[in-house]
Amino acid sequence: MTSRTTKVQKNTPGRFGAYGGRYVPETLVAALEELEREYAQARRDRRFQKELDRLLRDYAGRPTPLSFAQRLTAKLGGARVYLKREDLLHTGAHKINNCLGQALLAVRMGKRRIIAETGAGQHGVATATVCALLGLECVVYMGTEDMRRQELNVFRMRLLGAEVQPVEAGSRTLKDAINEAMRDWVTNVRTTHYLLGSVLGAHPYPTMVRDFQSVIGKEARAQIQKAAGRLPSMIIACVGGGSNAIGIFHAFLGDKKVRLVGVEAGGRGSELGEHAARVAIPGGAPGVLQGTFSYVLQDAAGQIAPTHSVSAGLDYPAIGPEHAALKDSGRAEYVSASDAEALAACKLLSETEGIIPALESAHAVAECAQRAPKMRKSDVVIVNVSGRGDKDIGILRQGLLL
């Protein structure tokens, strides 16, 4: 851990300005270099890309719709709101985009054992799903607190044939699951691929996961021009590690008039330990966590701070390094939504559009509910609905007292 920023050339591989890099034990360097080489070759391999495109289309269900939220727009007033429906993908979230890509890479490298970490369980379910599809061994690490909150997804993973390893260490959430997955990888690096679920970790993961998720933005860009005859005024997405957000942002980075808004977990207060907002609430500072240099929630001594969010998928103390660079440059802005706001937004979208979003996605809906009424009726907002809310029904039942 360090709070000292470093100056790095912008074009350094694996770097986003000063952020990113590769901070890992020596035993993992060769595996990361192998993954970097194989990914670079796969990007140029038409057969690999054709197979990935086929699976995304015929198995995952791409392209996902971009839906005009007519009743939500009328309820909020102001801007026209469109929803990018990643919740309609097989397994119920955007995570399968990346899982299919990385699993094909693992097969290409001859690695038949897959390990993964999961918080909300959606990445674990997607990993277990593609491993079942391709006949790969699958082990998923999950904190016991997240297992309690996401019991349905634990059952789904086991039904799909995955071994779910409970993690009792630390806060028993996503950070601790990643620690255990990395320990496994160090021990079994020759036979095992670590299928990391977000734009986190050591190079090449932030770039590779971003690329696999960039299909979201490519589709949304074409769809909104067809539907609205223009580019959006604003795109809003929730940000845990940040893969769904960077996936939809990436196709619009060069369009300076398109505002990019990432929504972090504001939790239940502004004190350290009460939220998981790395840049939107004071408490985050540049540092190294689990292989990459980015903004990290830490105390005055540089120790990793505990986090809280009603949504397990946003409950992580660091943000993806590309998001850190976008924040510093001002190209994207990062705000937070509280637990209460996310719960209310979930109810709002459910009642107006018949769509129950994941609590992660509900944070983006909450920000839309704040901004859209203040915008012109000619403005267009896209909200990335990154996942569906089936997994959160227990939390919603308790939080909304319905």
Side-chain angles (χ1 to χ4, degrees), residues 13-344:
R15 290 283 187 174
F16 307 92
Y19 302 102
R22 184 181 286 163
Y23 301 85
V24 294
E26 189 65 29
T27 49
L28 290 180
V29 171
L32 288 165
E33 289 176 342
E34 177 192 20
L35 180 60
E36 183 180 9
R37 288 193 304 272
E38 288 289 344
Y39 176 59
Q41 292 171 9
R43 290 188 69 183
R44 299 189 297 268
D45 186 337
R46 290 187 178 181
R47 287 180 298 177
F48 178 90
Q49 294 298 328
K50 185 176 180 180
E51 178 65 2
L52 177 57
D53 290 344
R54 182 188 70 81
L55 288 172
L56 287 171
R57 181 186 68 245
D58 298 340
Y59 187 72
R62 301 213 72 91
T64 59
L66 182 75
S67 306
F68 175 53
Q70 183 174 1
R71 294 193 67 238
L72 179 64
T73 296
K75 176 84 171 178
L76 297 178
R80 289 174 287 163
V81 179
Y82 287 80
L83 308 174
K84 182 57 174 163
R85 299 293 307 281
E86 295 298 288
D87 59 308
L88 293 179
L89 283 172
H90 181 42
T91 73
H94 69 290
K95 294 294 187 179
I96 198 166
N97 301 323
N98 169 55
C99 288
L100 283 169
Q102 284 200 53
L104 290 178
L105 271 178
V107 171
R108 184 186 178 98
M109 292 186 290
K111 296 187 176 183
R112 308 294 299 183
R113 181 175 182 267
I114 303 295
I115 59 172
E117 83 299 328
T118 198
Q122 289 301 99
H123 174 59
V125 169
T127 301
T129 297
V130 300
C131 285
L133 175 69
L134 299 176
L136 305 174
E137 181 184 351
C138 181
V139 179
V140 180
Y141 289 90
M142 190 173 191
T144 53
E145 172 61 16
D146 289 337
M147 291 179 71
R148 181 189 65 80
R149 294 193 288 181
Q150 304 292 334
E151 184 179 355
L152 174 61
N153 275 343
V154 174
F155 178 79
R156 292 170 75 193
M157 285 182 270
R158 287 173 172 159
L159 182 62
L160 288 159
E163 176 186 346
V164 181
Q165 282 283 354
V167 177
E168 290 281 1
S171 61
R172 298 171 296 156
T173 55
L174 181 58
K175 170 179 67 69
D176 313 293
I178 293 176
N179 283 338
E180 291 303 315
M182 291 184 73
R183 289 190 184 100
D184 184 318
W185 197 25
V186 167
T187 306
N188 301 288
V189 69
R190 291 183 182 275
T191 61
T192 298
H193 173 65
Y194 179 16
L195 205 163
L196 185 60
S198 195
V199 284
L200 299 166
H203 176 63
Y205 281 106
T207 299
M208 181 176 66
V209 177
R210 188 269 321 276
D211 290 349
F212 286 139
Q213 293 293 1
S214 65
V215 64
I216 305 172
K218 291 173 184 174
E219 286 180 5
R221 185 184 180 89
Q223 289 168 327
I224 196 64
Q225 289 178 304
K226 182 177 181 180
R230 51 164 294 181
L231 292 179
S233 311
M234 181 180 294
I235 300 172
I236 306 175
C238 66
V239 180
S243 65
N244 91 88
I246 209 68
I248 196 167
F249 289 175
H250 196 251
F252 299 90
L253 288 177
D255 303 295
K256 303 303 183 183
K257 292 183 179 180
V258 179
R259 296 178 68 183
L260 307 176
V261 181
V263 188
E264 299 184 284
R268 57 197 173 200
S270 59
E271 298 296 319
L272 278 179
E274 296 296 300
H275 64 87
R278 290 63 46 101
V279 296
I281 299 175
V288 173
L289 180 63
Q290 294 173 329
T292 195
F293 182 67
S294 187
Y295 276 90
V296 181
L297 279 171
Q298 52 189 300
D299 62 22
Q303 298 300 306
I304 304 300
T307 58
H308 163 79
S309 173
V310 70
S311 58
L314 302 187
D315 196 2
Y316 185 69
I319 194 170
E322 189 166 6
H323 285 292
L326 291 173
K327 182 266 181 187
D328 280 6
S329 70
R331 179 62 191 94
E333 56 186 300
Y334 296 86
V335 298
S336 66
S338 69
D339 287 353
E341 290 169 333
L343 287 165

